[in-house]
Amino acid sequence: PTCGIYYEGRLILGGAVANRFDASSSNDIFTFSPTDEFGTVLDSSGISETLNSEDLETILGFDADHDGLIVRTISGEWVLAASTLNDPLTPTSIQVHKVTKLGSAASEARRVGMVLLFVQRYGQRVIEYLSDTFSQRFTGKHINENAKHITAPGVTELAYQEEKAPIVWTIMADGTLAGTTYRRVSHLVQEPPLFSGAHRQAIGD
């Protein structure tokens, strides 16, 4: 596996096989058995699930959200949740659907307040990803739409600092460092962030 997350008492792993993820037994992260010793599938049994995708693609990351688990791949974003609202994941109560087609790069996402930030698949854009209050649909917007010349070398890693100023740091493929002073206070995706200003950061010798 190349990525994983501990979620609702299960260790969930992905990346070993295209389109597939595996979840451990509930509250037993070292056991992935799909049945008990009698062959019975229990609610606490391990889970193996395959994304119903037209492409063979590797899962690049998992990120927890109030609507479920966001599964990021190179072609888009999926939401993994129980079949019934607020139920726990079980082998018989699980669904995963593709909700957007932004695509993710192979780098860790960062939770920044109400949004998830991740690098778009081409490495030029940083996406703020959130669920709209009214429509309950996930939407991704670029926080560096007018500053792609700064991220032209390609973003390889994100980091976030809250104080003394909220800054999303980006490390580029050529070793340079840049940042975006960023804050969002609204769950309405139609409203822009409170502020989002990109800047280069010179590193002294």
Side-chain angles (χ1 to χ4, degrees):
T2 58
C3 57
I5 191 172
Y6 181 75
Y7 181 72
E8 294 186 347
R10 298 179 185 269
L11 177 62
I12 302 177
L13 302 173
V17 179
N19 293 4
R20 173 180 144 182
F21 63 87
D22 295 277
S24 71
S25 299
S26 181
N27 297 315
D28 184 0
I29 64 172
F30 298 109
T31 301
F32 286 77
S33 302
T35 66
D36 64 6
E37 63 269 29
F38 305 108
T40 304
V41 178
L42 307 173
D43 283 348
S44 59
S45 296
I47 301 170
S48 181
E49 187 80 8
T50 301
L51 303 180
N52 189 11
S53 173
E54 66 273 16
D55 301 312
L56 281 175
E57 52 187 339
T58 302
I59 294 174
L60 301 174
F62 300 94
D63 303 284
D65 191 84
H66 60 83
D67 289 327
L69 196 63
I70 298 170
V71 183
R72 291 180 292 110
T73 71
I74 195 170
S75 74
E77 295 71 44
W78 307 65
V79 172
L80 165 64
S83 301
T84 305
L85 187 65
N86 295 325
D87 274 4
L89 291 177
T90 70
T92 57
S93 179
I94 185 172
Q95 57 180 334
V96 57
H97 301 290
K98 189 178 240 182
V99 291
T100 51
K101 297 182 178 181
L102 297 166
S104 176
S107 62
E108 288 189 37
R110 300 296 177 192
R111 174 64 62 179
V112 179
M114 64 186 70
V115 306
L116 183 73
L117 296 181
F118 64 87
V119 182
Q120 203 260 351
R121 60 186 164 198
Y122 299 113
Q124 304 294 305
R125 304 174 188 264
V126 178
I127 304 293
E128 62 163 15
Y129 198 67
L130 74 160
S131 176
D132 184 72
T133 299
F134 294 114
S135 68
Q136 299 298 308
R137 293 180 179 273
F138 279 96
T139 302
K141 293 190 174 183
H142 318 127
I143 69 170
N144 64 329
E145 177 64 25
N146 299 316
K148 287 189 291 182
H149 59 288
I150 295 179
T151 57
V155 179
T156 60
E157 190 174 350
L158 294 178
Y160 177 72
Q161 73 172 53
E162 179 67 29
E163 295 292 350
K164 295 187 176 179
I167 299 176
V168 180
W169 294 105
T170 53
I171 299 176
M172 256 64 71
D174 63 356
T176 57
L177 179 67
T180 301
T181 306
Y182 168 83
R183 174 80 77 198
R184 169 173 281 279
V185 296
S186 173
H187 274 287
L188 300 176
V189 298
Q190 297 84 356
E191 294 185 12
L194 191 63
F195 49 82
S196 179
H199 45 86
R200 289 188 175 94
Q201 187 72 27
I203 300 176
D205 294 332

